[in-house]
Protein backbone atom coordinates (compact mmCIF):
# COMPACT_ATOMS: atom_id res chain seq x y z
CA UNK A 1 0.00 0.00 0.00
CA UNK A 2 1.26 3.46 -0.91
CA UNK A 3 0.23 6.99 -0.12
CA UNK A 4 -1.05 10.19 -1.69
CA UNK A 5 0.51 13.57 -0.95
CA UNK A 6 -0.90 16.96 -1.91
CA UNK A 7 1.40 19.98 -1.75
CA UNK A 8 0.17 23.54 -2.18
CA UNK A 9 2.24 26.49 -3.42
CA UNK A 10 0.58 29.07 -1.16
CA UNK A 11 1.73 32.44 -2.43
CA UNK A 12 -1.22 34.81 -3.08
CA UNK A 13 0.33 37.39 -5.41
CA UNK A 14 3.99 36.56 -4.84
CA UNK A 15 4.13 33.97 -7.58
CA UNK A 16 3.59 36.75 -10.11
CA UNK A 17 5.30 39.82 -8.66
CA UNK A 18 8.21 39.47 -11.11
CA UNK A 19 6.08 38.77 -14.19
CA UNK A 20 3.23 40.56 -15.92
CA UNK A 21 -0.26 39.32 -16.72
CA UNK A 22 -2.13 36.52 -14.92
CA UNK A 23 -4.89 38.91 -13.87
CA UNK A 24 -7.46 36.11 -13.60
CA UNK A 25 -5.31 34.09 -11.20
CA UNK A 26 -4.37 37.18 -9.19
CA UNK A 27 -8.06 37.97 -8.81
CA UNK A 28 -8.62 34.42 -7.53
CA UNK A 29 -5.69 34.49 -5.11
CA UNK A 30 -7.60 34.77 -1.83
CA UNK A 31 -10.91 33.26 -2.90
CA UNK A 32 -9.05 30.29 -4.42
CA UNK A 33 -7.16 29.84 -1.16
CA UNK A 34 -10.42 29.72 0.80
CA UNK A 35 -12.04 27.40 -1.75
CA UNK A 36 -9.16 24.94 -1.55
CA UNK A 37 -8.99 25.09 2.25
CA UNK A 38 -12.74 24.53 2.37
CA UNK A 39 -12.54 21.48 0.12
CA UNK A 40 -9.73 20.01 2.21
CA UNK A 41 -11.86 20.50 5.34
CA UNK A 42 -14.96 19.05 3.73
CA UNK A 43 -13.16 15.88 2.62
CA UNK A 44 -10.82 15.78 5.64
CA UNK A 45 -7.76 15.74 3.39
CA UNK A 46 -4.52 17.12 4.88
CA UNK A 47 -2.02 18.87 2.65
CA UNK A 48 1.37 20.53 2.88
CA UNK A 49 0.78 24.26 2.44
CA UNK A 50 4.17 25.71 1.46
CA UNK A 51 3.76 29.38 2.33
CA UNK A 52 5.64 32.41 1.04
CA UNK A 53 6.98 33.96 4.24
CA UNK A 54 6.02 37.53 3.36
CA UNK A 55 2.37 36.51 3.73
CA UNK A 56 2.90 36.18 7.48
CA UNK A 57 3.66 39.89 7.81
CA UNK A 58 0.96 42.42 8.59
CA UNK A 59 2.90 45.42 7.30
CA UNK A 60 6.26 46.38 5.77
CA UNK A 61 7.99 49.31 4.08
CA UNK A 62 7.78 47.71 0.64
CA UNK A 63 11.54 48.10 0.19
CA UNK A 64 13.31 45.51 2.34
CA UNK A 65 16.61 47.35 2.06
CA UNK A 66 18.61 44.61 3.75
CA UNK A 67 17.54 41.93 1.31
CA UNK A 68 20.34 41.01 -1.18
CA UNK A 69 17.99 41.59 -4.12
CA UNK A 70 17.34 45.14 -2.95
CA UNK A 71 14.22 47.31 -3.22
CA UNK A 72 13.84 46.73 -6.96
CA UNK A 73 12.87 43.11 -6.31
CA UNK A 74 9.99 44.38 -4.17
CA UNK A 75 8.90 47.20 -6.50
CA UNK A 76 5.41 45.72 -6.92
CA UNK A 77 4.73 46.50 -3.26
CA UNK A 78 5.29 50.19 -3.93
CA UNK A 79 3.57 50.59 -7.30
CA UNK A 80 1.06 48.20 -8.88
CA UNK A 81 0.24 46.45 -5.58
CA UNK A 82 0.49 49.48 -3.31
CA UNK A 83 -3.28 49.49 -2.84
CA UNK A 84 -3.66 45.68 -2.90
CA UNK A 85 -2.50 44.39 0.49
CA UNK A 86 -4.62 41.30 -0.13
CA UNK A 87 -1.90 40.08 -2.52
CA UNK A 88 0.98 40.83 -0.15
CA UNK A 89 -0.22 39.69 3.27
CA UNK A 90 -2.22 36.76 4.58
CA UNK A 91 -1.37 35.80 8.17
CA UNK A 92 -4.98 34.99 9.03
CA UNK A 93 -5.34 32.77 5.99
CA UNK A 94 -2.28 30.80 7.07
CA UNK A 95 -3.47 30.66 10.68
CA UNK A 96 -6.83 29.25 9.61
CA UNK A 97 -5.13 26.50 7.60
CA UNK A 98 -2.76 25.68 10.46
CA UNK A 99 -5.63 25.47 12.94
CA UNK A 100 -7.78 23.17 10.82
CA UNK A 101 -8.26 19.86 12.67
CA UNK A 102 -7.67 17.99 9.42
CA UNK A 103 -3.94 18.31 10.22
CA UNK A 104 -2.37 20.41 7.49
CA UNK A 105 1.38 21.00 7.49
CA UNK A 106 2.79 24.51 7.05
CA UNK A 107 5.93 24.44 4.91
CA UNK A 108 8.27 27.01 3.37
CA UNK A 109 8.03 28.48 -0.14
CA UNK A 110 10.83 31.05 0.51
CA UNK A 111 10.18 34.61 1.71
CA UNK A 112 9.51 36.40 -1.59
CA UNK A 113 9.43 33.66 -4.24
CA UNK A 114 13.06 33.84 -5.33
CA UNK A 115 14.01 31.07 -7.77
CA UNK A 116 16.72 29.15 -5.95
CA UNK A 117 17.97 27.41 -9.09
CA UNK A 118 18.40 30.59 -11.13
CA UNK A 119 21.94 31.51 -12.17
CA UNK A 120 21.73 34.90 -10.43
CA UNK A 121 20.51 33.50 -7.10
CA UNK A 122 23.57 33.50 -4.87
CA UNK A 123 23.94 31.57 -1.64
CA UNK A 124 23.59 34.88 0.21
CA UNK A 125 20.24 35.51 -1.44
CA UNK A 126 18.98 32.00 -0.72
CA UNK A 127 20.13 32.29 2.88
CA UNK A 128 18.36 35.65 3.26
CA UNK A 129 15.15 34.14 1.87
CA UNK A 130 15.25 31.25 4.33
CA UNK A 131 16.11 33.43 7.31
CA UNK A 132 13.44 36.02 6.48
CA UNK A 133 10.85 33.26 6.21
CA UNK A 134 11.89 31.76 9.53
CA UNK A 135 11.87 35.21 11.14
CA UNK A 136 8.32 35.76 9.86
CA UNK A 137 7.23 32.58 11.64
CA UNK A 138 8.97 33.46 14.92
CA UNK A 139 5.76 34.74 16.50
CA UNK A 140 3.86 31.60 15.50
CA UNK A 141 4.12 27.94 16.44
CA UNK A 142 4.72 26.83 12.85
CA UNK A 143 7.63 24.45 12.50
CA UNK A 144 8.82 24.70 8.91
CA UNK A 145 10.35 21.34 7.99
CA UNK A 146 9.22 20.89 4.37
CA UNK A 147 10.37 23.08 1.49
CA UNK A 148 8.87 23.74 -1.95
CA UNK A 149 11.06 25.54 -4.47
CA UNK A 150 9.34 28.38 -6.36
CA UNK A 151 8.55 27.26 -9.91
CA UNK A 152 10.28 23.98 -9.05
CA UNK A 153 13.65 25.69 -9.53
CA UNK A 154 15.84 23.54 -7.30
CA UNK A 155 19.03 24.99 -5.83
CA UNK A 156 21.06 25.59 -2.67
CA UNK A 157 19.84 22.41 -1.03
CA UNK A 158 22.82 22.46 1.31
CA UNK A 159 21.25 25.50 2.99
CA UNK A 160 18.01 23.62 3.59
CA UNK A 161 20.00 21.04 5.51
CA UNK A 162 21.82 23.78 7.42
CA UNK A 163 18.51 25.26 8.56
CA UNK A 164 17.14 21.86 9.62
CA UNK A 165 14.58 21.27 6.90
CA UNK A 166 13.67 17.62 6.51
CA UNK A 167 12.49 17.39 2.91
CA UNK A 168 11.66 19.15 -0.34
CA UNK A 169 9.53 18.60 -3.41
CA UNK A 170 11.79 17.38 -6.17
CA UNK A 171 11.58 18.33 -9.83
CA UNK A 172 8.32 17.38 -11.49
CA UNK A 173 8.22 15.21 -14.61
CA UNK A 174 8.64 16.97 -17.94
CA UNK A 175 5.51 18.80 -19.00
CA UNK A 176 3.29 16.64 -21.13
CA UNK A 177 2.35 18.09 -24.51
CA UNK A 178 -1.29 18.83 -25.48
CA UNK A 179 -1.08 15.97 -27.98
CA UNK A 180 -0.03 13.52 -25.27
CA UNK A 181 -2.76 14.81 -22.99
CA UNK A 182 -5.33 14.24 -25.73
CA UNK A 183 -4.08 10.68 -26.17
CA UNK A 184 -4.25 10.11 -22.42
CA UNK A 185 -7.85 11.31 -22.29
CA UNK A 186 -9.09 9.35 -25.29
CA UNK A 187 -6.88 6.24 -25.43
CA UNK A 188 -5.18 5.95 -22.07
CA UNK A 189 -1.56 5.37 -21.08
CA UNK A 190 0.46 3.28 -18.59
CA UNK A 191 -0.06 3.99 -14.91
CA UNK A 192 0.85 7.48 -13.71
CA UNK A 193 4.17 8.02 -12.03
CA UNK A 194 4.47 6.88 -8.44
CA UNK A 195 7.60 8.28 -6.81
CA UNK A 196 9.92 6.84 -4.21
CA UNK A 197 11.13 9.37 -1.62
CA UNK A 198 14.92 9.20 -1.42
CA UNK A 199 17.63 10.72 0.74
CA UNK A 200 19.96 13.08 -1.12
CA UNK A 201 23.62 13.77 -0.38
CA UNK A 202 22.65 16.46 2.15
CA UNK A 203 20.51 14.10 4.21
CA UNK A 204 17.28 15.67 2.93
CA UNK A 205 14.35 13.60 1.71
CA UNK A 206 13.47 14.34 -1.91
CA UNK A 207 9.74 13.79 -2.49
CA UNK A 208 9.34 14.36 -6.25
CA UNK A 209 6.12 15.54 -7.81
CA UNK A 210 3.95 13.15 -9.80
CA UNK A 211 1.34 15.50 -11.27
CA UNK A 212 0.67 19.22 -11.48
CA UNK A 213 -3.11 19.35 -11.26
CA UNK A 214 -3.45 22.36 -13.58
CA UNK A 215 -1.06 21.46 -16.37
CA UNK A 216 -3.84 21.17 -18.96
CA UNK A 217 -5.68 24.47 -19.26
CA UNK A 218 -7.01 27.04 -21.71
CA UNK A 219 -8.58 26.31 -25.06
CA UNK A 220 -7.35 22.68 -25.34
CA UNK A 221 -9.08 21.82 -22.07
CA UNK A 222 -12.31 23.57 -23.05
CA UNK A 223 -12.46 21.79 -26.40
CA UNK A 224 -11.62 18.38 -25.03
CA UNK A 225 -13.92 18.43 -22.02
CA UNK A 226 -16.94 19.14 -24.22
CA UNK A 227 -16.58 15.53 -25.44
CA UNK A 228 -14.43 13.65 -22.90
CA UNK A 229 -13.97 13.71 -19.16
CA UNK A 230 -11.26 16.00 -17.83
CA UNK A 231 -7.95 14.17 -18.57
CA UNK A 232 -6.34 15.46 -15.37
CA UNK A 233 -9.13 13.86 -13.34
CA UNK A 234 -8.63 10.59 -15.22
CA UNK A 235 -4.88 10.71 -14.68
CA UNK A 236 -5.31 11.52 -10.98
CA UNK A 237 -7.69 8.59 -10.52
CA UNK A 238 -5.20 6.21 -12.10
CA UNK A 239 -2.50 7.57 -9.83
CA UNK A 240 -4.67 7.11 -6.76
CA UNK A 241 -5.46 3.55 -7.87
CA UNK A 242 -1.75 2.84 -8.33
CA UNK A 243 -1.00 4.16 -4.84
CA UNK A 244 -3.71 1.91 -3.42
CA UNK A 245 -2.16 -1.17 -5.07
CA UNK A 246 1.56 -0.53 -4.76
CA UNK A 247 4.25 0.95 -2.59
CA UNK A 248 5.26 4.47 -3.48
CA UNK A 249 3.85 7.98 -3.37
CA UNK A 250 1.49 9.71 -5.77
CA UNK A 251 2.33 13.38 -5.22
CA UNK A 252 -0.08 15.97 -6.66
CA UNK A 253 0.46 19.70 -6.39
CA UNK A 254 -1.29 22.98 -7.23
CA UNK A 255 -1.64 26.67 -6.39
CA UNK A 256 -4.76 27.99 -4.66
CA UNK A 257 -4.98 30.62 -7.41
CA UNK A 258 -5.57 27.82 -9.91
CA UNK A 259 -9.16 27.68 -8.64
CA UNK A 260 -10.40 30.53 -10.80
CA UNK A 261 -13.92 29.26 -11.50
CA UNK A 262 -16.40 26.41 -11.59
CA UNK A 263 -14.47 24.06 -13.93
CA UNK A 264 -11.39 24.24 -11.69
CA UNK A 265 -13.43 23.64 -8.54
CA UNK A 266 -15.19 20.74 -10.28
CA UNK A 267 -11.80 19.20 -11.11
CA UNK A 268 -10.66 19.33 -7.49
CA UNK A 269 -13.98 18.04 -6.19
CA UNK A 270 -13.89 15.09 -8.61
CA UNK A 271 -10.33 14.20 -7.51
CA UNK A 272 -11.18 14.57 -3.82
CA UNK A 273 -14.35 12.49 -4.30
CA UNK A 274 -12.28 9.65 -5.70
CA UNK A 275 -9.53 10.00 -3.11
CA UNK A 276 -12.17 9.83 -0.41
CA UNK A 277 -13.58 6.63 -1.95
CA UNK A 278 -10.14 4.96 -1.91
CA UNK A 279 -8.80 6.27 1.39
CA UNK A 280 -9.28 2.95 3.16
CA UNK A 281 -6.76 1.44 0.74
CA UNK A 282 -3.98 4.02 1.06
CA UNK A 283 -2.52 6.69 3.32
CA UNK A 284 -3.03 10.41 2.77
CA UNK A 285 0.09 12.10 4.09
CA UNK A 286 1.83 15.44 4.29
CA UNK A 287 5.37 15.83 3.02
CA UNK A 288 6.59 15.95 6.60
CA UNK A 289 4.90 12.67 7.43
CA UNK A 290 6.50 11.00 4.42
CA UNK A 291 9.93 12.32 5.39
CA UNK A 292 9.51 11.12 8.97
CA UNK A 293 9.23 7.49 7.88
CA UNK A 294 12.21 7.53 5.50
CA UNK A 295 15.45 6.15 6.94
CA UNK A 296 18.05 8.94 6.73
CA UNK A 297 20.89 7.29 8.65
CA UNK A 298 23.12 6.75 5.64
CA UNK A 299 22.55 9.40 2.94
CA UNK A 300 24.24 8.75 -0.40
CA UNK A 301 27.65 10.19 -1.07
CA UNK A 302 27.99 13.49 -2.91
CA UNK A 303 28.18 13.37 -6.66
CA UNK A 304 24.59 13.38 -7.88
CA UNK A 305 22.99 16.79 -7.72
CA UNK A 306 19.67 17.87 -9.21
CA UNK A 307 20.26 21.49 -8.21
CA UNK A 308 19.59 24.00 -10.90
CA UNK A 309 17.41 21.65 -12.94
Amino acid sequence: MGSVVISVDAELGWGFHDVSGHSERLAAARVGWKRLAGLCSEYEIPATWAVVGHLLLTDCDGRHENHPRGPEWFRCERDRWADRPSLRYGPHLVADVAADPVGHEIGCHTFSHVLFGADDTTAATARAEIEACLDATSATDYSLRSFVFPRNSVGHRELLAEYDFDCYRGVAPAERTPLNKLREATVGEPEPRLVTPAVDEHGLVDIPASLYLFSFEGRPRRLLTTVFEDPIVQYARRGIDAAAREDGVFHMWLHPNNLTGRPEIARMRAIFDYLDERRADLAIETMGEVAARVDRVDPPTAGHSPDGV
Side-chain angles (χ1 to χ4, degrees), residues 179-220:
L179 181 61
N180 285 339
K181 293 167 189 171
L182 176 61
R183 177 174 60 81
E184 292 163 17
T186 59
V187 179
E189 66 163 14
E191 293 298 341
R193 179 175 181 251
L194 295 187
V195 299
T196 301
V199 181
D200 72 8
E201 67 271 30
H202 303 292
L204 300 163
V205 180
D206 177 6
I207 309 172
S210 300
L211 174 66
Y212 174 38
L213 290 174
F214 289 87
S215 58
F216 183 51
E217 302 307 299
R219 189 167 180 269

Side-chain angles (χ1 to χ4, degrees), residues 9-19 25 50-55 67 69 73-74 81 108-118 121 125 129-130 132-133 147-153 169 253 255 257:
D9 294 24
E11 52 199 35
L12 293 182
W14 287 97
F16 306 109
H17 77 103
D18 57 332
V19 295
R25 287 178 62 183
V51 174
V52 168
H54 195 288
L55 300 183
H67 193 283
R69 285 285 173 92
W73 177 246
F74 298 92
W81 291 359
C108 180
H109 198 40
T110 75
F111 176 72
S112 62
H113 211 262
V114 167
L115 306 189
F116 272 36
T121 299
T125 298
E129 283 284 290
I130 293 171
C133 194
F147 195 95
V148 169
F149 292 96
R151 297 181 195 150
N152 295 308
S153 180
R169 189 177 70 206
W253 68 281
H255 310 85
N257 60 39

Side-chain angles (χ1 to χ4, degrees), residues 7-265:
S7 56
V8 181
D9 294 24
E11 52 199 35
L12 293 182
W14 287 97
F16 306 109
H17 77 103
D18 57 332
V19 295
S20 59
H22 303 284
S23 58
E24 184 180 30
R25 287 178 62 183
L26 283 170
R30 293 182 83 88
V31 67
W33 184 304
K34 293 177 181 178
R35 285 168 175 164
L36 181 58
L39 286 169
C40 288
S41 293
E42 178 182 347
Y43 288 91
E44 298 183 347
I45 292 175
T48 294
W49 291 68
V51 174
V52 168
H54 195 288
L55 300 183
L56 298 173
L57 305 182
T58 57
D59 193 18
C60 70
D61 63 4
R63 300 187 63 84
H64 304 279
E65 295 279 359
N66 294 328
H67 193 283
R69 285 285 173 92
E72 186 61 27
W73 177 246
F74 298 92
R75 176 173 290 279
C76 67
E77 293 201 80
R78 306 189 304 277
D79 50 33
R80 68 182 191 272
W81 291 359
D83 60 349
R84 301 183 71 180
S86 63
L87 297 178
R88 301 162 59 196
Y89 310 116
H92 298 300
L93 291 176
V94 181
D96 287 346
V97 167
D100 193 311
V102 74
H104 293 302
E105 174 188 23
I106 303 299
C108 180
H109 198 40
T110 75
F111 176 72
S112 62
H113 211 262
V114 167
L115 306 189
F116 272 36
D119 290 341
D120 61 347
T121 299
T122 64
T125 298
R127 185 181 296 277
E129 283 284 290
I130 293 171
E131 290 185 351
C133 194
L134 295 176
D135 286 346
T137 66
S138 61
T140 74
D141 59 358
Y142 310 147
S143 178
L144 305 185
R145 308 305 296 269
S146 298
F147 195 95
V148 169
F149 292 96
R151 297 181 195 150
N152 295 308
S153 180
V154 178
H156 300 290
R157 290 173 298 126
E158 72 285 352
L159 293 181
L160 303 191
E162 180 181 333
Y163 285 92
D164 293 327
F165 285 93
D166 290 332
C167 61
Y168 60 91
R169 189 177 70 206
V171 177
E175 183 75 11
R176 292 169 293 135
T177 67
L179 181 61
N180 285 339
K181 293 167 189 171
L182 176 61
R183 177 174 60 81
E184 292 163 17
T186 59
V187 179
E189 66 163 14
E191 293 298 341
R193 179 175 181 251
L194 295 187
V195 299
T196 301
V199 181
D200 72 8
E201 67 271 30
H202 303 292
L204 300 163
V205 180
D206 177 6
I207 309 172
S210 300
L211 174 66
Y212 174 38
L213 290 174
F214 289 87
S215 58
F216 183 51
E217 302 307 299
R219 189 167 180 269
R221 183 197 70 185
R222 291 193 296 271
L223 291 173
L224 184 60
T225 53
T226 60
V227 179
F228 301 102
E229 185 182 30
D230 186 335
I232 295 294
V233 173
Q234 290 191 0
Y235 194 91
R237 285 175 178 161
R238 292 201 296 272
I240 292 167
D241 286 341
R245 289 194 310 270
E246 308 169 25
D247 290 333
V249 174
F250 186 60
H251 185 176
M252 300 179 281
W253 68 281
L254 73 158
H255 310 85
N257 60 39
N258 289 130
L259 302 187
T260 56
R262 291 181 180 177
E264 294 76 24
I265 297 170

